[in-house]
Structures are given as structure tokens and as C-alpha cells.
Amino acid sequence: DSGVTQTPKHLITATGQRVTLRCSPRSGDLSVYWYQQSLDQGLQFLIQYYNGEERAKGNILERFSAQQFPDLHSELNLSSLELGDSALYFCASSVTGGRFNEQFFGPGTRLTVL
Amino acid sequence: AQSVTQLDSHVSVSEGTPVLLRCNYSSSYSPSLFWYVQHPNKGLQLLLKYTSAATLVKGINGFEAEFKKSETSFHLTKPSAHMSDAAEYFCVVSDRDYKLSFGAGTTVTVRA
């Protein structure tokens, strides 16, 4: 158990809908990362937050947004969902967010868009 | 820009024999390099990391990796495979912009 929690575990929804994925980092970790894992694209970095502020952005679509709250939990919002958004979404956390820091991964949220 | 190439998409070994997973990277900066493992239906777990100290890095569960700058490689090895090593392995590079770039992954199968 990494100490990173993600809810829900599974999510099934329809095209055009909006969903919110939630992540609680390990106690003491200030940085949160979001990743998307799909069969065709592999593991892709989406976005990183550090202590409430956006630090780095990867291949995140404009339909997706995220934020980190004062209690350091984070939410990833996915809107106008398409079939291709079906994937496993991972959250990870690290102590400071530096490039030497180990990232601890949550168990993931499996999103299925029908 | 940084990128990672895992040279084998699938590796099959017999239990008790060595495992070699190959990884080449490109980076315009001094990279940090990691190997992560993902067991079925689980999140990723760090095996080991290289951060410009010793070039031979020891990790958990008997794994180690050697950083070779001249070859831009960071291959992962284990002298004796165990059934529990069956999983997917990702080579990862981190550049100065904090982003992690993942390789496509290598699936390891261990035969009894």
C-alpha cells in the first residue's frame, strides 16, 4: 500500500458526460501528479501540482482540468467525455515534487466511457 | 526533450534464470532515471532510481540497473527470476522540467 488513495476505483459513464476523479496524497507529500494509462498511448503524464499551484503540464486535453485543494487532495475533472478517454487514471504523490523525488502511485481509477 | 525506448515489449524467462530488461534514453540534460514495476491491477511501484551518484544502482527485490552515459542506457537486471517477478516494467526518465516520460513497458513472464 503506497499511502495514496484514489476514488472511485471504477467509473462507467456515457459519452458527453463529465466526471471527477479524486486523489489523496500520502501524508506529508506536497506534490500530486496525474497520469493516464491506455493501451494505445501507454502511460502519459497529464499534470502536476505542488502545494496548490500548477507546476508542470503534460499531454492534458483542454476538456480536462485539475486542481489541488488546501488540504492537498486533488481532483481531476474530465468533461465532454469521448470513447477514447476510456483508460486507467493514476494519481501519484511525492514529497517536494523535485525531479529526484520518488513518486508513490495510487491504485488508479478505471474509467469506461460507453 | 526527453524520451525513453524499451527495447523489448515482452521478455519470457524460466524461474531461477537471469532477467535483462533493456532501456535506452535520450535527454538534453543530466537525467534522473527510474524503473517502476506494475503488477496486474495494481499501481506502479518504484524498483530503483539513478540520480547522478553511483552508476550501479541497487533496488528492491534483488533488481539492479547500470547507468551508462556513453551508451545512453539504463538496463535492469536480476540474477535469478522468481515467479512473483511476473509483471510489467517501465523505464522512466525525468528531465529538468519535472515531468516523467515513460517507456512503453516490458511485460515479463516467468515460466516454472
Side-chain angles (χ1 to χ4, degrees):
Chain A
D1 184 359
S2 67
V4 178
T5 59
Q6 290 186 248
T7 55
K9 274 189 165 25
H10 302 276
L11 200 46
I12 301 174
T13 188
T15 54
Q17 295 298 305
R18 173 189 168 93
V19 297
T20 298
L21 313 184
R22 183 188 167 101
C23 168
S24 292
R26 289 188 326 155
S27 176
D29 284 0
L30 297 178
S31 196
V32 168
Y33 310 75
W34 286 98
Y35 295 88
Q36 180 193 58
Q37 185 178 34
S38 61
L39 282 174
D40 53 344
Q41 303 268 22
L43 251 168
Q44 300 232 20
F45 165 73
L46 295 178
I47 198 163
Q48 177 197 3
Y49 280 83
Y50 173 73
N51 205 20
E53 300 287 328
E54 182 184 305
R55 171 171 270 184
K57 223 168 187 176
N59 300 322
I60 188 165
L61 299 171
E62 283 194 16
R63 300 184 285 107
F64 295 1
S65 65
Q67 59 183 125
Q68 187 179 27
F69 295 86
D71 67 351
L72 301 177
H73 91 271
S74 178
E75 292 180 357
L76 179 67
N77 299 297
L78 315 177
S79 61
S80 303
L81 285 168
E82 301 174 0
L83 295 177
D85 297 327
S86 295
L88 196 47
Y89 290 84
F90 285 109
C91 168
S93 72
S94 69
V95 176
T96 64
R99 66 188 189 97
F100 299 127
N101 280 180
E102 173 182 356
Q103 294 185 22
F104 293 85
F105 283 76
T109 292
R110 184 169 294 282
L111 173 67
T112 303
V113 182
L114 301 174
Chain B
Q2 61 201 31
S3 68
V4 172
T5 302
Q6 291 184 241
L7 299 168
D8 308 290
S9 60
H10 186 246
V11 167
S12 181
V13 298
S14 296
E15 192 175 20
T17 64
V19 182
L20 169 64
L21 305 184
R22 298 181 296 165
C23 171
N24 286 117
Y25 70 91
S26 80
S27 173
S28 53
Y29 191 65
S30 277
S32 297
L33 293 156
F34 307 81
W35 276 99
Y36 280 83
V37 61
Q38 184 180 25
H39 287 94
N41 300 312
K42 300 276 189 188
L44 284 80
Q45 181 186 19
L46 181 71
L47 282 177
L48 49 79
K49 66 178 179 181
Y50 166 77
T51 56
S52 76
T55 55
L56 184 62
V57 182
K58 292 192 184 299
I60 61 171
N61 301 334
F63 284 94
E64 63 181 37
E66 186 170 10
F67 173 72
K68 291 188 177 179
K69 187 174 180 179
S70 60
E71 298 176 11
T72 60
S73 70
F74 189 57
H75 300 336
L76 180 71
T77 60
K78 181 172 180 176
S80 176
H82 191 272
M83 297 299 288
S84 61
D85 294 328
E88 188 155 20
Y89 293 78
F90 293 94
C91 182
V92 184
V93 63
S94 174
D95 213 317
R96 62 191 305 173
D97 59 2
Y98 307 109
K99 301 175 196 176
L100 294 189
S101 292
F102 286 76
T106 299
T107 300
V108 172
T109 303
V110 183
R111 304 184 303 272

